């Protein structure tokens, strides 16, 4: 999992995003321990303070919890929390840009609706 | 934990002001990047902080003590300059390390030996007969093994080849994690080390232009691209570092906090907002006319 962080946006945000993605995909399960700050920092060649900032944000968001003297763990309800949050922003983050793009290239919205219905029918089969 | 307090610092060489009214404070255990173009005053600043040189104005305090001719303060600061200062003398690498060991109360001889092995520097060799790259390796070895509460690398590893530079970054990070201290790195190879920096200081023409948390800096810069007229109206009131035009499309580099409201405005106007790398920010912040 050697991945380079993009130097162009806050790195703590990128670390948090990556941990969130691992929780959503199930790679990190509830009550599982995440690697320590120092391991994270050394592995990705990043400042330990940056890693701590990411962990702190995830704790504030209820994704991770801290066990004194042991380390950071994934909250049992982390996946649900993330799913709920993503669901909330799904329309503004995913659907609205899609509709804008469709308008820009002249796809009628009824065509979009038709496509969605088609996929829904396939689901139902 | 050691802290450095620089207040109104000035340095004048004959008729030239190398530093003018530089003030900042650094405290806690972290890695700081000192950036600046050639001649910006980086080496002068670091030399004064380490007590190698005397300022002509202002004060530099390390843990509250002035550094000039004060062994209590200078004993806490280890500055590694360029390819190392001591390599002109006819001494072996081992003798140099023994000298450093006497000078540095926190010296770790075993660690120094490990680093020499890692960088493939033979201890029995004469220091001055070493190649440029090996001399750099010797310099960073002395800096790391000093375990000085304030360890400064002034372009001291630029002569290392890429694999050795990454070995140095890894060693630095591992050592700072194990033995927390204040590290200042001045470098031109910004991209390579940017992720290690917690703080960034930028010197420009002898003045401190910026002292910022590295992540805050990354979040503050953005490239706004789109229809020129729309870009212009969006950037009104923002600090624009630079602009480029291609046909009717304009790309403007802005620096300043972009809140969610502004970001939403950009989206509505169909403008692209892209982050800017630390190195690019540095280039744009300091490029007021090539010198």
């Amino acid at each position: 999992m050697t991945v380079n962080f993009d130097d162009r946006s806050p790195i703590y945000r990128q670390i948090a995003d990556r941990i969130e993605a691992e929780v959503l995909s199930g790679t990190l399960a509830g009550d599982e321990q995440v690697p320590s700050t120092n391991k994270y920092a050394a592995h990705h060649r990043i400042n330990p303070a940056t890693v701590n900032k990411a962990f702190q944000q995830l704790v504030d968001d209820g994704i991770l919890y801290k066990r004194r003297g042991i380390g950071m763990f994934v909250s049992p309800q982390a996946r649900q929390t993330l799913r709920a949050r993503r669901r909330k922003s799904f329309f503004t983050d995913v659907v609205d840009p899609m509709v804008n793009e469709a308008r820009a290239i002249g796809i009628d919205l009824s065509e979009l609706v038709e496509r969605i219905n088609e996929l829904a029918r396939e689901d139902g089969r | 934990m050691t802290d450095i307090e620089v207040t109104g610092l000035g340095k004048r060489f004959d008729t030239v002001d190398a530093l003018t009214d530089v003030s900042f404070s650094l405290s806690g255990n972290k890695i700081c990047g000192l950036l600046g173009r050639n001649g910006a005053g980086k080496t002068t600043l670091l030399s004064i902080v380490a007590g190698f040189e005397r300022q002509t104005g202002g004060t530099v305090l390390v843990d509250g003590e002035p550094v000039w001719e004060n062994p209590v303060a200078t004993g806490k600061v280890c500055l590694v300059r360029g390819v190392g200062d001591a390599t002109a003398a006819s001494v072996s690498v081992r003798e140099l390390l023994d000298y450093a060991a006497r000078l540095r109360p926190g010296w770790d001889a075993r660690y120094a030996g490990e680093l020499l092995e890692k960088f493939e520097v033979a201890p029995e060799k004469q220091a001055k007969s070493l190649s440029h790259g090996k001399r750099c390796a010797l310099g960073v070895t002395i800096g790391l093994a000093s375990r000085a509460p304030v360890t400064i690398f002034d372009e001291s590893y630029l002569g290392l080849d890429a694999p050795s530079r990454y070995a140095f970054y890894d060693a630095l990070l591992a050592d700072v994690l194990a033995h927390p201290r204040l590290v200042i790195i001045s470098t031109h190879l910004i991209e390579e080390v940017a992720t290690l920096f917690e703080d960034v200081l930028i010197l420009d023409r002898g003045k401190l232009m910026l002292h910022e948390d590295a992540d805050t800096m990354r979040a503050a810069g953005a490239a706004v691209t789109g229809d020129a007229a729309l870009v212009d109206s969006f950037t009104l009131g923002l600090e624009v570092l630079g602009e480029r035009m291609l046909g009717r499309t304009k790309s403007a580099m802005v620096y300043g906090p972009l809140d969610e409201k502004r970001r939403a405005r950009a989206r509505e106007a169909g403008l692209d907002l892209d982050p800017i790398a630390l190195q690019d920010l540095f280039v744009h912040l300091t490029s007021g006319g090539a010198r």
Side-chain angles (χ1 to χ4, degrees), chain A residues 18-33:
Chain A
R18 189 151 319 152
I19 292 174
E20 286 181 3
E22 283 174 11
V23 170
L24 271 174
S25 71
T27 310
L28 277 173
D31 289 318
E32 197 175 318
Q33 186 170 10

Side-chain angles (χ1 to χ4, degrees), chain A residues 5-12 38 41-42 44-50 53, chain B residues 31 166 169-170 173 177 194-198 213 215 218-219 275-278:
Chain A
F5 286 100
D6 184 349
D7 184 35
R8 300 180 308 163
S9 61
I11 290 164
Y12 71 91
N38 287 6
H44 293 297
R45 233 181 239 128
I46 48 182
N47 198 294
T50 306
K53 220 189 275 182
Chain B
I31 304 176
Y166 282 95
Y169 303 144
D170 286 344
L173 191 52
L177 288 169
T195 55
L196 292 184
F197 297 155
E198 189 174 338
D213 173 90
D215 269 332
R218 284 189 191 95
I276 315 177
L278 218 52

Side-chain angles (χ1 to χ4, degrees), chain B residues 234-246:
Chain B
F234 180 80
T235 56
L236 210 69
L238 292 175
E239 188 184 352
V240 179
L241 301 177
E243 292 182 339
R244 293 175 118 180
M245 286 284 285
L246 182 63

Side-chain angles (χ1 to χ4, degrees), chain B residues 48 60 65 74 77 86-87 107 109 112 116 146 156 166 200 213 229 232 251 254 269 273 289-290:
Chain B
I48 295 171
V60 178
E65 298 246 12
T74 53
V77 185
T87 50
W107 183 260
L116 286 187
S146 78
S156 41
Y166 282 95
V200 173
D213 173 90
D232 283 342
S251 186
V254 295
L273 278 183

